[in-house]
């Protein structure tokens, strides 16, 4: 767990689950050269931002910014990105 509920996910392949504050998120498939799916379940109203960052610290895209409860899902088109490693 990072500060302020930030979770760092590092995985070489397959689906990776991250849990904090009784919430669970999955990022899959990993690795991918097409669509990356990000899914989660929020037990209570939670302010959440889901962003894609490159390894140089540059924000690539903000996918979600708001308050949510329940099931949450979004996609990122990795096919449009330069090949490399990204942080969600």
């Amino acid at each position: 767990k990072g500060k302020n509920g930030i979770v760092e996910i590092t995985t070489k392949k397959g689906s990776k689950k991250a849990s904090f504050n009784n919430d669970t998120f999955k990022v899959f498939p990993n690795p991918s050269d097409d669509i990356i799916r990000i899914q989660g379940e929020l037990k209570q109203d939670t302010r959440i931002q889901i962003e894609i960052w490159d390894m140089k610290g540059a924000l690539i895209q903000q996918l979600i910014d708001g308050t949510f409860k329940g099931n949450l899902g979004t996609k990122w088109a990795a096919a449009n990105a330069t090949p490399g490693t990204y942080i969600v």
Side-chain angles (χ1 to χ4, degrees), residues 38-73:
I38 303 161
Q39 296 177 342
E41 181 182 352
L42 302 163
K43 305 284 185 203
Q44 59 188 7
D45 285 335
T46 304
R47 171 88 165 78
I48 188 165
Q49 290 178 304
I50 298 179
E51 301 170 330
I52 307 296
W53 295 80
D54 70 14
M55 296 304 289
K56 294 178 182 177
L59 177 63
I60 302 301
Q61 186 175 358
Q62 184 173 61
L63 302 175
I64 290 179
D65 183 7
T67 301
F68 300 90
K69 179 181 179 182
N71 292 326
L72 177 70

Side-chain angles (χ1 to χ4, degrees), residues 3 7 9 14 16 18 22 34 37 39 45 52 56 62 69 74 79 82 84 86:
K3 295 181 180 178
V7 175
I9 300 174
K16 178 69 177 174
N22 297 317
D34 194 17
R37 288 176 173 70
Q39 296 177 342
D45 285 335
I52 307 296
K56 294 178 182 177
Q62 184 173 61
K69 179 181 179 182
T74 190
T82 302
Y86 293 87

Side-chain angles (χ1 to χ4, degrees), residues 11 30-33 36 52-56 60 76 78-87:
T11 180
N30 187 7
S32 178
D33 61 359
I36 302 286
I52 307 296
W53 295 80
D54 70 14
M55 296 304 289
K56 294 178 182 177
I60 302 301
W76 179 53
N80 298 330
T82 302
T85 302
Y86 293 87
I87 299 169

